[in-house]
Amino acid sequence: AERLKRKYRKEIATDPDVFSHCTDTIIRQVGDIRRMVDEFSGFARMPAPTFRSENVAEIARQTLLFLEVSSPDIDFEFRAADRPVMLNCDGRQVAQALTNIIKNAAESIQGRKCIDGGTLPRGRIVLEIAEGAH
């Protein structure tokens, strides 16, 4: 992914930002998987959390983008304030938890069947990041 980004970044005429976001997401996900595999093989448990101030809105946005690309038959909507939403957390573990939740939602949508044999409305997943309680 890093080589693709370096080699083709300037050649991408359509949606260069999407290309950049996708390659960045792949690079980050591969790094996260590598670290998790290393931890699992060494200790057979989840990696120890590394807490730091993270922009949870950006983590959520990147996670949703990654899954949106893999499920083009579902409409995705992301809602968040224009300003960063900071949280003291392990960004990798939060991203993994969000990935699991969104993947489960996508699989549920893809597994739907219409009882009368008709067509179902297009699936939709909305991810909203907000500060405080609603």
Side-chain angles (χ1 to χ4, degrees), residues 19 30-31 101 106 109 119 130 134:
F19 176 78
V30 168
I101 291 167
I109 290 170
T119 58
H134 286 298

Side-chain angles (χ1 to χ4, degrees), residues 48-70:
T50 304
F51 291 93
R52 66 179 195 204
S53 183
E54 297 274 1
N55 182 351
V56 73
E58 187 56 33
I59 292 169
R61 186 183 329 275
Q62 289 177 5
T63 302
L64 193 64
L65 176 65
F66 175 70
L67 292 165
E68 186 175 4
V69 170
S70 66

Side-chain angles (χ1 to χ4, degrees), residues 53-125:
S53 183
E54 297 274 1
N55 182 351
V56 73
E58 187 56 33
I59 292 169
R61 186 183 329 275
Q62 289 177 5
T63 302
L64 193 64
L65 176 65
F66 175 70
L67 292 165
E68 186 175 4
V69 170
S70 66
S71 300
D73 56 327
I74 298 173
D75 292 327
F76 290 84
E77 183 180 341
F78 180 75
R79 298 177 192 162
D82 290 335
R83 65 185 186 286
V85 179
M86 303 309 289
L87 179 67
N88 188 29
C89 66
D90 184 312
R92 292 178 298 134
Q93 290 185 3
V94 169
Q96 185 61 49
L98 286 172
T99 297
N100 292 343
I101 291 167
I102 298 166
K103 265 183 75 177
N104 287 346
E107 289 170 2
S108 295
I109 290 170
Q110 292 164 343
R112 298 178 303 165
K113 292 190 179 5
C114 194
I115 296 172
D116 63 3
T119 58
L120 292 167
R122 188 169 169 85
R124 182 169 176 244
I125 295 174

Side-chain angles (χ1 to χ4, degrees), residues 31-45 47:
D32 291 348
I33 291 169
R34 182 180 60 243
R35 283 187 290 279
M36 286 177 51
V37 167
D38 290 345
E39 289 285 335
F40 277 125
S41 64
F43 304 104
R45 61 175 168 79

